[in-house]
Amino acid sequence: MATSAQKCVEETGDACPLSHVAIIMDGNGRWATRHGKARSAGHRKGADAVREAIEGAVDCGINYLTLYAFSSENWNRPADEVSDLMALLKLYLQREIKSLHKQGIRLRVIGRRDRLSADIVSMIDKAEQKTAGNSRMTLVIALSYGSRDELVTAVQSIAEAVASGKMRPEDICEADISQALWTADIPDPDLIIRTSGEQRLSNFLLWQAAYTEFSFPDLLWPDFTKADFRAAVDDFLGRHRRFGARP
Ligand code: IPE
Ligand code: IPE
Ligand code: MG
């Protein structure tokens, strides 16, 4: 059966109100504690939920799915947890790129790459190149990502353009800022889902989320399924977004 999002895509084409869903995948550690396991087991189970989210997004006909996998601040976690997460990421990239490519999914990674190991950066580069021509859905992974870091980088590039005379300060507009962010050419998220019960952005897409809707399903990330994705989408489609312009 077609989901409401698919119906919406069929009926309105590009005018579909739900093009981009972003997810703050939170609660792996609490899941592990609840099951009497090490945090690393929660992260491993969380990787299975990533597969569920991607399937859910593809089934719903979403154009962009962004997954917050590792924040700038997550580098401050204990070294063994950071290395577990990096090892898991490597494993994920090794195992899943072929399947993402087969499904027609384009991969894009946003975030600061200079703190990642050279082998991970090379895997990401190769995966992005391999999948660049795919058009079914774009999967954006936010890795070593922090929105304030992204904004600082954008301000630096705009300041350089001004200093070199390529741009006048009075000409800087919102689109210039959007284009200077790592998310350039990606539409703003329509919906951000955060699991685990926390209701905060944790330095995720601060500029891009100006008019984003939010969904806080009451579950921990490793328990997330494609049915939960569909439920969040269906709830979103029943909402009325006003963007400040309509009463
Ligand atoms: C999300 O789960 C994974 C990352 C942030 C990398 P957490 O590890 O934050 O799990 P909780 O919030 O401690 O339960
Ligand atoms: C946000 O979760 C980052 C990711 C899910 C990758 P955190 O667990 O790091 O956020 P806080 O510390 O609860 O705000
Ligand atoms: Mg957390």
Side-chain angles (χ1 to χ4, degrees):
M1 207 180 79
T3 62
S4 345
Q6 273 171 334
K7 268 189 239 140
C8 156
V9 171
E10 283 157 18
E11 284 163 17
T12 57
D14 288 339
C16 177
L18 186 49
S19 172
H20 182 180
V21 177
I23 308 183
I24 302 173
M25 309 184 291
D26 195 22
N28 295 352
R30 278 163 280 179
W31 183 92
T33 304
R34 254 182 226 179
H35 290 79
K37 295 180 177 180
R39 288 180 69 85
S40 55
H43 294 314
R44 276 200 303 278
K45 187 80 170 43
D48 296 338
V50 167
R51 237 165 269 133
E52 289 280 323
I54 294 171
E55 267 184 47
V58 168
D59 287 353
C60 287
I62 303 299
N63 302 121
Y64 293 86
L65 174 69
T66 297
L67 300 176
Y68 200 7
F70 192 88
S71 73
S72 312
E73 291 73 26
N74 289 152
W75 289 111
N76 300 326
R77 292 193 179 191
D80 59 342
E81 182 168 0
V82 170
S83 69
D84 281 348
L85 283 163
M86 290 300 144
L88 193 61
L89 172 73
K90 232 160 101 175
L91 200 68
Y92 179 84
L93 290 170
Q94 274 160 355
R95 284 195 186 152
E96 301 293 322
I97 297 307
K98 236 191 197 162
S99 147
L100 293 175
H101 188 47
K102 243 191 184 157
Q103 293 176 75
I105 295 172
R106 176 169 65 146
L107 180 75
R108 184 156 157 192
V109 176
I110 56 169
R112 185 169 286 288
R113 292 192 190 187
D114 52 15
R115 293 187 77 177
L116 299 170
S117 66
D119 55 345
I120 290 184
V121 173
S122 149
M123 285 166 86
I124 291 170
D125 287 342
K126 279 190 197 135
E128 284 183 329
Q129 281 163 25
K130 186 183 170 90
T131 62
N134 293 340
S135 57
R136 190 169 186 198
M137 184 178 85
T138 299
L139 172 66
V140 183
I141 299 185
L143 186 64
S144 189
Y145 173 89
S147 195
R148 287 186 168 184
D149 191 5
E150 177 184 42
L151 282 161
V152 168
T153 308
V155 170
Q156 285 168 342
S157 72
I158 292 171
E160 270 167 30
V162 169
S164 65
K166 286 191 199 122
M167 205 176 218
R168 294 188 309 171
E170 59 270 35
D171 292 336
I172 298 168
C173 63
E174 291 187 7
D176 293 322
I177 295 174
S178 292
Q179 278 306 112
L181 299 173
W182 294 323
T183 51
D185 300 325
I186 297 172
D188 288 343
D190 302 294
L191 172 66
I192 290 181
I193 301 169
R194 182 171 187 152
T195 55
S196 90
E198 310 299 351
Q199 302 192 351
R200 55 176 170 262
L201 278 172
S202 302
N203 205 10
F204 188 47
L205 304 178
L206 302 180
W207 168 272
Q208 299 88 335
Y211 269 101
T212 300
E213 297 288 322
F214 290 91
S215 171
F216 300 108
D218 186 18
L219 46 91
L220 300 171
W221 177 249
D223 292 325
F224 188 86
T225 65
K226 54 185 168 187
D228 297 311
F229 188 92
R230 180 185 284 233
V233 163
D234 283 339
D235 178 65
F236 167 92
L237 291 168
R239 298 187 195 181
H240 180 209
R241 297 173 86 187
R242 287 188 285 273
F243 301 97
R246 289 184 297 270

